[in-house]
Amino acid sequence: MHVLEQSLPRDLRDLRRGIRQRTIYQHTVRSDRTTLAYIERVTTEGAEVRTLAEVADRIIVFDGDLAFVPFSDEPHRALRIQHPALVRFLARHFDEAWARAAPVRPERVPLRTPVVTSDLQRTILQAVVGGETDESIARRLGMSRRSVAEHVRRISERLGSNSRAQLGCLIATSGLLSGLLAA
């Protein structure tokens, strides 16, 4: 059973009890039917969902007093944090990411808005400039390696690049990243 299918009854019950739920996923969930079905169900009960190109590990904050951060090597275990300053720091980190994220409204199309598309493109291009491989970019963004390679191929053709190193240099000096920021 899919993780979201398992959590749906609990999440719906909590939302009906008045618990506020705000979730940030990666942009790539906008093409995943299972995740979109989950989002549609929880948003009808008051949850809010947004997406970003990249999402840090999961952070769960309760009432500004308690937070949980998963162990990266043990996905079903988490560190319980009760130190007020650290909980505030984590909540502020989430709020800053929330402010940058694009809202998900499953009932509306298109799901790939210009903001989402330019955010993904910008993140991929910055990673190319940083020397990352298609595989590492794909893993970080939750995309297939082929999708990343296609993005890179299109920009390489557009800029007339003959190599990955030249492409990184051309992206960095072309003003393309600043143009996407304005988009």
Side-chain angles (χ1 to χ4, degrees), residues 125-131 155 159-177:
L125 295 180
Q126 287 170 333
V128 169
V129 170
I155 196 64
L159 295 178
S161 169
N162 295 317
S163 71
R164 186 71 172 230
Q166 182 185 25
L167 178 60
C169 184
L170 289 171
I171 292 168
T173 60
S174 69
L176 188 60
L177 286 171

Side-chain angles (χ1 to χ4, degrees), residues 88-106:
R88 277 193 309 274
F89 171 81
L90 292 170
R92 187 172 51 245
H93 172 74
F94 178 86
D95 288 340
E96 289 169 0
W98 183 261
R100 293 189 320 272
V104 177
R105 293 181 180 86

Side-chain angles (χ1 to χ4, degrees), residues 86-137:
L86 190 48
V87 173
R88 277 193 309 274
F89 171 81
L90 292 170
R92 187 172 51 245
H93 172 74
F94 178 86
D95 288 340
E96 289 169 0
W98 183 261
R100 293 189 320 272
V104 177
R105 293 181 180 86
E107 72 281 358
R108 297 186 187 156
V109 287
L111 293 173
R112 295 270 186 206
T113 66
V115 170
V116 169
T117 301
S118 67
D119 195 23
L120 276 171
Q121 289 171 341
R122 177 178 39 259
T123 303
I124 292 168
L125 295 180
Q126 287 170 333
V128 169
V129 170
E132 287 188 53
T133 65
D134 291 351
E135 188 172 321
S136 71
I137 297 167

Side-chain angles (χ1 to χ4, degrees), residues 6-7 28 30 41 43 45 51 54 58 61-62 66 68 88 91 95 109 125 129-130 135 140 163 165:
Q6 292 175 345
S7 65
T28 53
R30 291 172 178 264
R41 293 285 309 275
T43 55
E45 295 294 334
T51 62
E54 292 182 83
R58 188 173 186 182
V61 179
F62 294 96
L66 175 65
F68 291 95
R88 277 193 309 274
D95 288 340
V109 287
L125 295 180
V129 170
E135 188 172 321
R140 192 162 49 95
S163 71

Side-chain angles (χ1 to χ4, degrees), residues 134-170:
D134 291 351
E135 188 172 321
S136 71
I137 297 167
R139 189 173 37 255
R140 192 162 49 95
L141 299 182
M143 300 175 73
S144 73
R145 188 197 57 74
R146 292 173 112 176
S147 293
V148 171
E150 181 60 20
H151 279 281
V152 172
R153 184 194 63 74
R154 282 192 305 247
I155 196 64
S156 183
E157 284 179 1
R158 180 174 164 193
L159 295 178
S161 169
N162 295 317
S163 71
R164 186 71 172 230
Q166 182 185 25
L167 178 60
C169 184
L170 289 171

